[in-house]
Amino acid sequence: TAQRRFGDGRVYKFICCLGACPRGRRLRAATAKNGGPPQDGWVRMLFDLSSDPWEVRDVLEAHPDVAAQLAPVLEPPLRGCGFDDTQLAEMLAARPAAQAAAPSSPETASQPPASSQEVNRS
């Protein structure tokens, strides 16, 4: 996972797993239905902890640019979360105008401003 406070004050948490993320009831239900957890494929989730501290609503589709900033700072072997450089660039290009002034390079994303927090764990 990677977590960061962005320039607008919002805190996002990006979760990336290969196979299955060990996340409660949904994983248990899928495991029971399919005879076991998935063994391949990327699982990606993004949560806005400022408005959703319980991590209920995945906002990845609404904020692909945030995921693109956090994916490169994940620890190996999850760094990049299965996105190639072209995909990351396209995701960053989709950023809303209000966020265009925020830092977007992987180097900047891995060095948060003094008022922000970042936690990287795999």
Short mmCIF file of all heavy atoms in Angstrom, two decimals, residues 12-15 44-48 57-68 83 90-92 94-96 99:
data_model
loop_
_atom_site.label_atom_id
_atom_site.label_comp_id
_atom_site.label_asym_id
_atom_site.label_seq_id
_atom_site.Cartn_x
_atom_site.Cartn_y
_atom_site.Cartn_z
N TYR A 12 -5.16 9.94 0.38
CA TYR A 12 -5.55 8.78 -0.41
C TYR A 12 -4.67 7.59 -0.03
O TYR A 12 -3.49 7.76 0.26
CB TYR A 12 -5.39 9.05 -1.91
CG TYR A 12 -6.42 10.00 -2.45
CD1 TYR A 12 -6.15 11.36 -2.54
CD2 TYR A 12 -7.66 9.53 -2.88
CE1 TYR A 12 -7.10 12.23 -3.04
CE2 TYR A 12 -8.61 10.41 -3.39
CZ TYR A 12 -8.32 11.76 -3.47
OH TYR A 12 -9.25 12.62 -3.96
N LYS A 13 -5.27 6.41 -0.09
CA LYS A 13 -4.56 5.16 0.15
C LYS A 13 -4.76 4.28 -1.07
O LYS A 13 -5.89 4.00 -1.47
CB LYS A 13 -5.11 4.47 1.40
CG LYS A 13 -4.43 3.14 1.71
CD LYS A 13 -5.01 2.56 2.99
CE LYS A 13 -4.35 1.25 3.36
NZ LYS A 13 -4.95 0.71 4.61
N PHE A 14 -3.64 3.85 -1.66
CA PHE A 14 -3.66 2.99 -2.84
C PHE A 14 -3.23 1.59 -2.41
O PHE A 14 -2.19 1.43 -1.79
CB PHE A 14 -2.71 3.55 -3.90
CG PHE A 14 -2.69 2.77 -5.18
CD1 PHE A 14 -3.85 2.54 -5.89
CD2 PHE A 14 -1.50 2.29 -5.69
CE1 PHE A 14 -3.83 1.84 -7.09
CE2 PHE A 14 -1.46 1.59 -6.88
CZ PHE A 14 -2.63 1.37 -7.59
N ILE A 15 -4.06 0.62 -2.74
CA ILE A 15 -3.77 -0.77 -2.40
C ILE A 15 -3.56 -1.54 -3.69
O ILE A 15 -4.37 -1.45 -4.61
CB ILE A 15 -4.92 -1.40 -1.59
CG1 ILE A 15 -5.12 -0.65 -0.28
CG2 ILE A 15 -4.67 -2.88 -1.35
CD1 ILE A 15 -6.33 -1.09 0.51
N ARG A 44 -6.39 -3.70 -7.68
CA ARG A 44 -6.04 -2.31 -7.38
C ARG A 44 -7.25 -1.63 -6.76
O ARG A 44 -8.36 -1.73 -7.28
CB ARG A 44 -5.66 -1.58 -8.65
CG ARG A 44 -4.53 -2.22 -9.41
CD ARG A 44 -4.37 -1.53 -10.76
NE ARG A 44 -3.30 -2.13 -11.52
CZ ARG A 44 -3.47 -2.80 -12.66
NH1 ARG A 44 -4.68 -2.93 -13.15
NH2 ARG A 44 -2.45 -3.32 -13.28
N MET A 45 -7.01 -0.91 -5.67
CA MET A 45 -8.07 -0.15 -5.01
C MET A 45 -7.50 1.17 -4.52
O MET A 45 -6.34 1.23 -4.11
CB MET A 45 -8.62 -0.94 -3.82
CG MET A 45 -9.35 -2.21 -4.22
SD MET A 45 -9.93 -3.15 -2.80
CE MET A 45 -8.43 -4.04 -2.39
N LEU A 46 -8.32 2.21 -4.57
CA LEU A 46 -7.93 3.53 -4.10
C LEU A 46 -9.03 4.05 -3.19
O LEU A 46 -10.22 4.01 -3.55
CB LEU A 46 -7.73 4.49 -5.28
CG LEU A 46 -7.33 5.91 -4.93
CD1 LEU A 46 -5.90 5.95 -4.39
CD2 LEU A 46 -7.46 6.81 -6.14
N PHE A 47 -8.63 4.52 -2.01
CA PHE A 47 -9.59 5.04 -1.05
C PHE A 47 -9.23 6.47 -0.68
O PHE A 47 -8.06 6.78 -0.48
CB PHE A 47 -9.62 4.16 0.22
CG PHE A 47 -10.05 2.75 -0.06
CD1 PHE A 47 -9.10 1.76 -0.18
CD2 PHE A 47 -11.38 2.44 -0.24
CE1 PHE A 47 -9.48 0.44 -0.45
CE2 PHE A 47 -11.78 1.14 -0.52
CZ PHE A 47 -10.82 0.14 -0.62
N ASP A 48 -10.25 7.32 -0.57
CA ASP A 48 -10.10 8.69 -0.11
C ASP A 48 -10.34 8.66 1.39
O ASP A 48 -11.48 8.67 1.85
CB ASP A 48 -11.10 9.60 -0.81
CG ASP A 48 -11.03 11.04 -0.35
OD1 ASP A 48 -10.32 11.34 0.64
OD2 ASP A 48 -11.71 11.88 -0.97
N ARG A 57 -15.56 2.74 -0.06
CA ARG A 57 -15.76 3.12 -1.46
C ARG A 57 -14.44 3.20 -2.21
O ARG A 57 -13.62 4.06 -1.94
CB ARG A 57 -16.48 4.47 -1.53
CG ARG A 57 -17.92 4.43 -1.06
CD ARG A 57 -18.58 5.80 -1.11
NE ARG A 57 -17.84 6.84 -0.40
CZ ARG A 57 -17.93 7.07 0.91
NH1 ARG A 57 -18.70 6.32 1.66
NH2 ARG A 57 -17.24 8.04 1.47
N ASP A 58 -14.29 2.33 -3.20
CA ASP A 58 -13.12 2.35 -4.07
C ASP A 58 -13.32 3.47 -5.10
O ASP A 58 -14.29 3.45 -5.86
CB ASP A 58 -12.99 0.99 -4.77
CG ASP A 58 -11.78 0.88 -5.67
OD1 ASP A 58 -11.04 1.88 -5.84
OD2 ASP A 58 -11.56 -0.22 -6.21
N VAL A 59 -12.41 4.46 -5.11
CA VAL A 59 -12.55 5.62 -6.00
C VAL A 59 -11.52 5.61 -7.13
O VAL A 59 -11.24 6.64 -7.73
CB VAL A 59 -12.46 6.95 -5.19
CG1 VAL A 59 -13.62 7.06 -4.21
CG2 VAL A 59 -11.12 7.08 -4.48
N LEU A 60 -10.98 4.44 -7.43
CA LEU A 60 -9.94 4.33 -8.46
C LEU A 60 -10.41 4.85 -9.82
O LEU A 60 -9.69 5.58 -10.50
CB LEU A 60 -9.44 2.89 -8.57
CG LEU A 60 -8.35 2.64 -9.60
CD1 LEU A 60 -7.09 3.44 -9.26
CD2 LEU A 60 -8.01 1.16 -9.66
N GLU A 61 -11.63 4.49 -10.23
CA GLU A 61 -12.12 4.94 -11.54
C GLU A 61 -12.28 6.45 -11.60
O GLU A 61 -12.07 7.05 -12.65
CB GLU A 61 -13.44 4.25 -11.87
CG GLU A 61 -13.26 2.79 -12.23
CD GLU A 61 -14.56 2.16 -12.72
OE1 GLU A 61 -15.39 2.88 -13.32
OE2 GLU A 61 -14.72 0.95 -12.51
N ALA A 62 -12.62 7.07 -10.49
CA ALA A 62 -12.81 8.53 -10.45
C ALA A 62 -11.48 9.28 -10.35
O ALA A 62 -11.40 10.44 -10.74
CB ALA A 62 -13.71 8.91 -9.28
N HIS A 63 -10.43 8.63 -9.84
CA HIS A 63 -9.15 9.31 -9.62
C HIS A 63 -7.96 8.46 -10.08
O HIS A 63 -7.06 8.16 -9.29
CB HIS A 63 -8.99 9.64 -8.13
CG HIS A 63 -10.05 10.54 -7.60
ND1 HIS A 63 -10.10 11.88 -7.89
CD2 HIS A 63 -11.12 10.28 -6.81
CE1 HIS A 63 -11.15 12.41 -7.29
NE2 HIS A 63 -11.79 11.47 -6.65
N PRO A 64 -7.92 8.11 -11.38
CA PRO A 64 -6.79 7.30 -11.86
C PRO A 64 -5.47 8.05 -11.74
O PRO A 64 -4.41 7.43 -11.59
CB PRO A 64 -7.15 7.00 -13.31
CG PRO A 64 -8.06 8.12 -13.71
CD PRO A 64 -8.84 8.45 -12.45
N ASP A 65 -5.52 9.38 -11.77
CA ASP A 65 -4.30 10.18 -11.66
C ASP A 65 -3.64 10.01 -10.28
O ASP A 65 -2.43 10.00 -10.16
CB ASP A 65 -4.60 11.65 -11.92
CG ASP A 65 -5.67 12.19 -10.98
OD1 ASP A 65 -6.79 11.62 -10.96
OD2 ASP A 65 -5.39 13.16 -10.27
N VAL A 66 -4.44 9.86 -9.25
CA VAL A 66 -3.90 9.67 -7.89
C VAL A 66 -3.19 8.31 -7.83
O VAL A 66 -2.08 8.20 -7.32
CB VAL A 66 -5.01 9.77 -6.83
CG1 VAL A 66 -4.48 9.40 -5.46
CG2 VAL A 66 -5.60 11.18 -6.82
N ALA A 67 -3.84 7.28 -8.39
CA ALA A 67 -3.22 5.95 -8.42
C ALA A 67 -1.92 5.99 -9.22
O ALA A 67 -0.93 5.36 -8.83
CB ALA A 67 -4.17 4.93 -9.03
N ALA A 68 -1.90 6.77 -10.31
CA ALA A 68 -0.69 6.87 -11.14
C ALA A 68 0.45 7.53 -10.38
O ALA A 68 1.62 7.24 -10.63
CB ALA A 68 -0.99 7.65 -12.41
N PHE A 83 1.10 -1.49 -13.99
CA PHE A 83 0.93 -0.49 -15.04
C PHE A 83 2.27 -0.26 -15.71
O PHE A 83 3.29 -0.17 -15.04
CB PHE A 83 0.45 0.85 -14.46
CG PHE A 83 -0.91 0.83 -13.85
CD1 PHE A 83 -1.09 1.12 -12.50
CD2 PHE A 83 -2.03 0.54 -14.60
CE1 PHE A 83 -2.35 1.12 -11.92
CE2 PHE A 83 -3.30 0.53 -14.03
CZ PHE A 83 -3.45 0.82 -12.69
N GLU A 90 -0.86 8.07 -19.35
CA GLU A 90 -2.25 8.32 -19.74
C GLU A 90 -3.12 8.62 -18.53
O GLU A 90 -4.00 9.48 -18.58
CB GLU A 90 -2.81 7.12 -20.51
CG GLU A 90 -2.20 6.95 -21.88
CD GLU A 90 -2.58 5.63 -22.54
OE1 GLU A 90 -3.27 4.79 -21.90
OE2 GLU A 90 -2.19 5.43 -23.70
N MET A 91 -2.89 7.91 -17.43
CA MET A 91 -3.65 8.14 -16.21
C MET A 91 -3.38 9.54 -15.67
O MET A 91 -4.29 10.24 -15.22
CB MET A 91 -3.33 7.08 -15.17
CG MET A 91 -3.83 5.69 -15.57
SD MET A 91 -3.09 4.36 -14.60
CE MET A 91 -3.75 4.66 -12.97
N LEU A 92 -2.12 9.96 -15.72
CA LEU A 92 -1.77 11.30 -15.24
C LEU A 92 -2.38 12.38 -16.14
O LEU A 92 -2.79 13.44 -15.66
CB LEU A 92 -0.26 11.47 -15.17
CG LEU A 92 0.41 10.75 -14.01
CD1 LEU A 92 1.92 10.81 -14.16
CD2 LEU A 92 -0.02 11.34 -12.68
N ALA A 94 -5.17 12.31 -17.47
CA ALA A 94 -6.60 12.39 -17.19
C ALA A 94 -6.90 13.21 -15.95
O ALA A 94 -8.05 13.33 -15.55
CB ALA A 94 -7.17 10.98 -17.03
N ARG A 95 -5.87 13.80 -15.34
CA ARG A 95 -6.06 14.56 -14.09
C ARG A 95 -7.01 15.72 -14.29
O ARG A 95 -6.93 16.44 -15.27
CB ARG A 95 -4.73 15.13 -13.61
CG ARG A 95 -3.77 14.07 -13.18
CD ARG A 95 -2.42 14.59 -12.91
NE ARG A 95 -2.46 15.84 -12.17
CZ ARG A 95 -1.39 16.48 -11.77
NH1 ARG A 95 -0.21 16.00 -12.01
NH2 ARG A 95 -1.49 17.60 -11.11
N PRO A 96 -7.92 15.94 -13.34
CA PRO A 96 -8.80 17.12 -13.40
C PRO A 96 -7.97 18.40 -13.33
O PRO A 96 -6.88 18.42 -12.75
CB PRO A 96 -9.67 16.99 -12.15
CG PRO A 96 -9.58 15.55 -11.76
CD PRO A 96 -8.23 15.08 -12.23
N GLN A 99 -6.37 19.62 -10.11
CA GLN A 99 -5.21 18.93 -9.59
C GLN A 99 -3.98 19.12 -10.47
O GLN A 99 -2.90 18.66 -10.14
CB GLN A 99 -5.50 17.43 -9.47
CG GLN A 99 -6.52 17.12 -8.42
CD GLN A 99 -6.78 15.62 -8.34
OE1 GLN A 99 -6.26 14.85 -9.12
NE2 GLN A 99 -7.58 15.23 -7.38
#
